[in-house]
Amino acid sequence: MERPAPGRAPAFEFHVLGPLKVFKDGTELPMSANRELVILASLLLNANRVMSVERLVEAVWAGSAPPSAWRQVAICVSRLRRTLGAGLIETSSPGYLLRAAPAAIDWLRFRELVARSRGQAAAGEREDAVLLLRDALALWRGQPFEDIRGLRYDAARMAESRLEALETCLVLEIELGRHHQVIPELLALVAESPFRERVRAQLMLAQYRAGRRADALRTYQETRRYLLKQIGLEPGPALRRLHEQILRDESALMRPPVSRPSAARPMPSQLPPQVLPFVGRDEELATLDAILGSARAPGAMVLCGAAGVGTTTLAVHWAHRRADRFPDGQLYADMGGTGPAPVMDRFLRALGVQDMPSDPAEKLALYRSCTARRRLLVVLDGAEHGDQVLPLLPSGPDCRVIVTSADPLDDLVARQGADRAFLRPLTDDAARHLADLLVGGALGPQAVSDLVVTSGGNPLSLRLGAARLRSRAGQPAA
């Protein structure tokens, strides 16, 4: 096995969808102490979030903690740090925090794949949705946390997520005409979860479409007997309705349900108005054309410059001029003092999402799914650091991004390979041209010369100076 390069941080991979396993640079680490496993599992399920000592104590002892519980938790964390290496588990009041990339934990990868599949299914891409769900389900290797009493609710929640994903996958495959292939899997799922009427309905429908009408009716009778015996209830209305349809051989059962024609995909046009008159910047516009007009990815451009130098004006001008290149719309956000989460919510609503997931990871995956097949322009104005921008980068190869910032955003350039241009003040000729357009006709050449000198080529200073001069002269606004 290849050894990690000297000086490189070790790569961790955590498996919790089954027996808990930890891999460091591809090698499985021995994890035998039960309490340490419980604490590690709790930290992994809350990765990148602080887990209080009280919750860790509850997870380990499930309501019967000894007086020394806090000290024992600290000892277990110390041992985990020795096993995993320093830096992975941090002390953060009121407890501990495990830092890990979402891709390093199979539970988080599962949730992201399921969220992406929802986006594909909503877009009518059933085949792609099935592939994503099958990839997600393949991550499961057994029942999580079987012997950990303190995590039984987490284990139940995770198992429910798996069943929901499997049910959704089988529904999509039946709609794709694969009823013969899914019958064995549905039979196993009925045996695993006998009270889930939705699964029994899927089995009946698959059997009927496969030409096994008698089997479908027998499945209903077995379901009815089982429910009456176990809980004294008849099957629910959906299952009874399907039974009646099978008895009548309704033709509608032989074809997948036709989804209602959806409204036209929304095309957001969020660009602010252009600042006019616009002069100069021919070289910068050509650079934007070359970078954002090319077919290579990533199509991201960072425009850096001092306050007032015109990064926003340039970005908005180019975006308006090239709007026809982005038939699926243009998204815009003023990032000054704003985190990525509220901006992502606005972008998802603009892209037509109505059922917004609450989980941030699912929301991120949905945003990537919504942008995967579109030709969008995203303008992020006034970013203060790279972490504001990273979650808002669209995943589609035909999407383009312009980021304006007073900061060089070195981390964004390094981590995402974004191109970058440093915007400088206007040349003397361009500054004189802009000043002449603003005040030349009304105040004469001397006012133009004064504006050029005092502004230093800064477009905002020049425009403010022109406004003050016209105000003093009592001239109407241009």
Side-chain angles (χ1 to χ4, degrees):
M1 185 171 293
E2 183 181 355
R3 294 183 177 275
R8 180 176 66 83
F12 284 94
E13 190 173 344
F14 302 95
H15 293 178
V16 298
L17 301 181
L20 198 156
K21 294 184 178 181
V22 180
F23 296 86
K24 182 178 181 180
D25 291 321
T27 302
E28 184 176 355
L29 300 180
M31 306 291 294
S32 56
N34 186 57
R35 290 175 183 170
E36 293 169 22
L37 284 175
V38 176
I39 291 173
L40 178 59
S42 301
L43 293 172
L44 287 171
L45 290 180
N46 296 273
N48 304 308
R49 292 182 292 177
V50 176
M51 186 78 169
S52 69
V53 176
E54 287 90 346
R55 291 181 63 192
L56 292 174
V57 168
E58 177 61 26
V60 174
W61 285 279
S64 56
S68 61
W70 280 50
R71 182 172 59 83
Q72 292 189 48
V73 167
I75 293 172
C76 290
V77 170
S78 178
R79 290 173 180 165
L80 283 172
R81 284 170 170 163
R82 285 199 297 270
T83 301
L84 302 175
L88 196 65
I89 300 177
E90 303 176 5
T91 300
S92 181
S93 180
Y96 301 96
L97 178 147
L98 185 145
R99 292 203 180 276
I105 304 173
D106 56 0
W107 168 237
L108 298 185
R109 292 205 305 275
F110 169 82
R111 292 171 65 185
E112 180 180 1
L113 288 168
V114 170
R116 287 172 55 193
S117 75
R118 291 197 193 106
Q120 295 295 335
E125 303 291 342
R126 295 176 182 172
E127 187 69 54
D128 292 342
V130 167
L131 291 174
L132 288 168
L133 287 170
R134 287 297 177 185
D135 287 344
L137 293 165
L139 296 172
W140 286 76
R141 299 165 294 103
Q143 181 66 34
F145 318 133
E146 281 188 297
D147 301 324
I148 303 177
R149 287 176 52 212
L151 297 179
R152 60 187 182 276
Y153 296 116
D154 296 281
R157 172 172 57 90
M158 296 164 72
E160 181 66 21
S161 296
R162 172 188 164 271
L163 285 173
E164 288 179 357
L166 182 53
E167 288 178 10
T168 302
C169 182
L170 293 172
V171 166
L172 291 171
E173 292 196 270
I174 292 173
E175 292 176 357
L176 288 168
R178 299 173 188 165
H179 29 268
H180 290 90
Q181 295 94 314
V182 301
I183 288 175
E185 201 166 0
L186 284 166
L187 286 168
L189 189 54
V190 165
E192 178 184 348
S193 304
F195 288 105
R196 297 179 81 93
E197 292 191 24
R198 183 189 182 199
V199 177
R200 292 180 180 266
Q202 291 173 7
L203 176 58
M204 290 170 60
L205 181 59
Q207 289 170 328
Y208 183 79
R209 288 187 180 174
R212 296 164 53 178
R213 180 171 179 263
D215 287 342
L217 294 172
R218 186 181 302 112
T219 296
Y220 177 81
Q221 294 302 331
E222 291 173 353
T223 299
R224 183 173 182 271
R225 285 194 296 269
Y226 182 85
L227 294 176
L228 285 170
K229 180 180 179 181
Q230 296 296 324
I231 56 177
L233 293 177
E234 291 279 352
L239 206 59
R240 295 199 304 269
R241 168 65 178 158
L242 177 60
H243 178 239
E244 292 169 2
Q245 289 178 299
I246 293 173
L247 284 173
R248 291 195 296 265
D249 273 328
E250 290 191 8
S251 59
L253 291 179
M254 291 305 297
R255 57 179 182 270
V258 179
S259 55
R260 291 174 297 176
S262 59
R265 176 183 284 185
M267 190 191 80
S269 300
Q270 300 182 343
L271 297 174
Q274 297 189 63
V275 178
L276 298 174
F278 182 90
V279 301
R281 304 303 189 197
D282 292 338
E283 183 179 342
E284 291 85 350
L285 288 170
T287 300
L288 285 166
D289 280 336
I291 292 172
L292 301 182
S294 67
R296 69 179 183 83
M301 183 72 173
V302 179
L303 297 177
C304 303
V309 80
T311 54
T312 301
T313 300
L314 173 62
V316 171
H317 180 81
W318 185 88
H320 276 284
R321 194 169 74 163
R322 300 299 185 215
D324 59 330
R325 294 185 181 179
F326 306 100
D328 293 316
Q330 306 88 40
L331 299 170
Y332 173 88
D334 182 353
M335 302 300 296
T338 303
V343 175
M344 183 177 293
D345 287 352
R346 294 201 299 269
F347 282 1
L348 284 171
R349 284 192 290 269
L351 293 171
V353 174
Q354 297 178 351
D355 186 12
M356 194 85 68
S358 58
D359 182 77
E362 292 187 14
K363 198 175 295 184
L364 175 60
L366 181 58
Y367 176 68
R368 290 173 178 167
S369 298
C370 288
T371 58
R373 296 176 181 270
R374 302 197 193 205
R375 294 177 65 185
L376 284 166
L377 175 65
V378 180
V379 180
L380 304 174
D381 190 20
E384 297 170 358
H385 50 80
D387 289 340
Q388 271 185 307
V389 174
L390 281 173
L392 299 171
L393 297 179
S395 62
D398 295 322
C399 295
R400 296 294 181 263
V401 182
I402 303 177
V403 183
T404 71
S405 178
D407 187 274
L409 300 183
D410 292 331
D411 56 339
L412 184 66
V413 173
R415 292 157 67 183
Q416 294 295 319
D419 288 282
R420 179 171 56 189
F422 293 89
L423 210 61
R424 293 176 173 78
L426 293 172
T427 63
D428 286 346
D429 288 343
R432 183 170 293 278
H433 185 197
L434 179 58
D436 189 56
L437 291 172
L438 292 171
V439 301
L443 302 179
Q446 186 57 50
V448 170
S449 299
D450 291 343
L451 271 179
V452 171
V453 171
T454 56
S455 69
N458 184 294
L460 181 58
S461 297
L462 197 151
R463 292 177 185 276
L464 287 171
R468 293 190 186 103
L469 285 175
R470 296 187 66 90
S471 177
R472 292 170 189 167
Q475 298 292 329

